[in-house]
């Protein structure tokens, strides 16, 4: 389910176990952490794999100039609704990939699609809002060109 995965993803991103992590409380209250007791090489391999998901795999929707480098994992849970297969799609992501400060898990119940195509764009919207507000001017969306202002030679 999304909450245990969020705890797991946050643990790998922060290299420690969050003791208080329930939805938005991560942003509202500080939390204490304890060691994962994993070798640094193990954590590095996990982080590299999560980064490749976005750089080369199902999470390419998060590879945008409007957010810093993202690490993530997609998922699809088989589900049936009214005897029709309508899978759940989810995606967990953190950013910036090198020093995460935000972890998000999006879950789309009975969406029928995959995590990379359905849930990753949901995360992109949240991350764009977060990073554009926190780092004014750094991750701004490009402004559309105004055809009325262009000059012809």
């Amino acid at each position: 389910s999304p909450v245990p995965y969020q705890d797991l993803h946050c643990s790998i991103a922060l290299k420690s176990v969050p003791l208080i992590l329930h939805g938005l409380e991560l942003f509202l209250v500080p939390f204490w952490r304890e060691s994962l007791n994993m070798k640094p090489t193990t954590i590095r391999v996990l982080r590299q794999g999560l980064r490749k998901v976005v750089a080369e795999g199902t999470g390419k929707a998060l590879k945008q100039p409007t957010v810093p480098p993202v690490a993530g994992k997609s998922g699809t849970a088989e589900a049936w609704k009214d005897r029709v297969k309508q899978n759940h799609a989810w995606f967990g992501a953190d950013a910036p990939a090198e020093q995460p400060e935000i972890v998000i898990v999006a879950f789309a119940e009975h969406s029928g699609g995959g995590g990379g195509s359905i849930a990753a764009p949901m995360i992109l919207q949240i991350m764009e809002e977060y990073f554009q507000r926190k780092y004014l001017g750094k991750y701004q969306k490009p402004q559309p060109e105004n055809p009325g202002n262009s000059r012809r030679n």
Side-chain angles (χ1 to χ4, degrees):
S1 75
V3 173
Y5 179 76
Q6 181 178 353
D7 289 345
L8 173 65
H9 195 104
C10 192
S11 298
I12 295 168
L14 301 175
K15 302 177 187 100
S16 59
V17 179
L19 297 180
I20 301 173
L21 179 60
H22 300 287
L24 294 178
E25 287 183 36
L26 173 65
F27 303 107
L28 303 176
V29 296
F31 57 92
W32 297 97
R33 299 179 287 174
E34 61 185 50
S35 173
L36 284 175
N37 293 322
M38 294 175 84
K39 293 178 184 177
T41 53
T42 302
I43 293 174
R44 188 170 46 252
V45 168
L46 287 169
R47 296 291 306 149
Q48 289 171 347
L50 293 170
R51 182 68 190 111
K52 282 187 174 185
V53 168
V54 175
E56 304 169 12
T58 57
K60 286 182 183 176
L62 293 165
K63 188 178 176 182
Q64 302 293 329
T66 54
V67 294
V70 177
K73 175 70 180 96
S74 64
T76 304
E78 189 174 277
W80 296 82
K81 184 176 182 180
D82 299 325
R83 297 183 180 190
V84 176
K85 188 174 182 180
Q86 292 182 329
N87 292 341
H88 305 317
W90 61 270
F91 202 96
D94 65 78
E98 295 305 315
Q99 271 199 282
E101 59 185 69
I102 184 172
V103 175
I104 303 168
V105 175
F107 185 81
E109 187 175 26
H110 298 293
S111 66
S117 61
I118 301 292
M122 295 162 57
I123 289 177
L124 179 62
Q125 290 179 358
I126 296 166
M127 284 193 173
E128 284 176 337
E129 187 71 23
Y130 175 84
F131 286 107
Q132 289 168 16
R133 285 180 185 224
K134 185 166 183 180
Y135 301 99
L136 293 176
K138 188 170 184 180
Y139 299 108
Q140 300 304 305
K141 290 183 178 182
Q143 297 299 315
E145 290 187 29
N146 185 345
N149 290 340
S150 63
R151 299 178 86 184
R152 294 184 183 177
N153 292 335

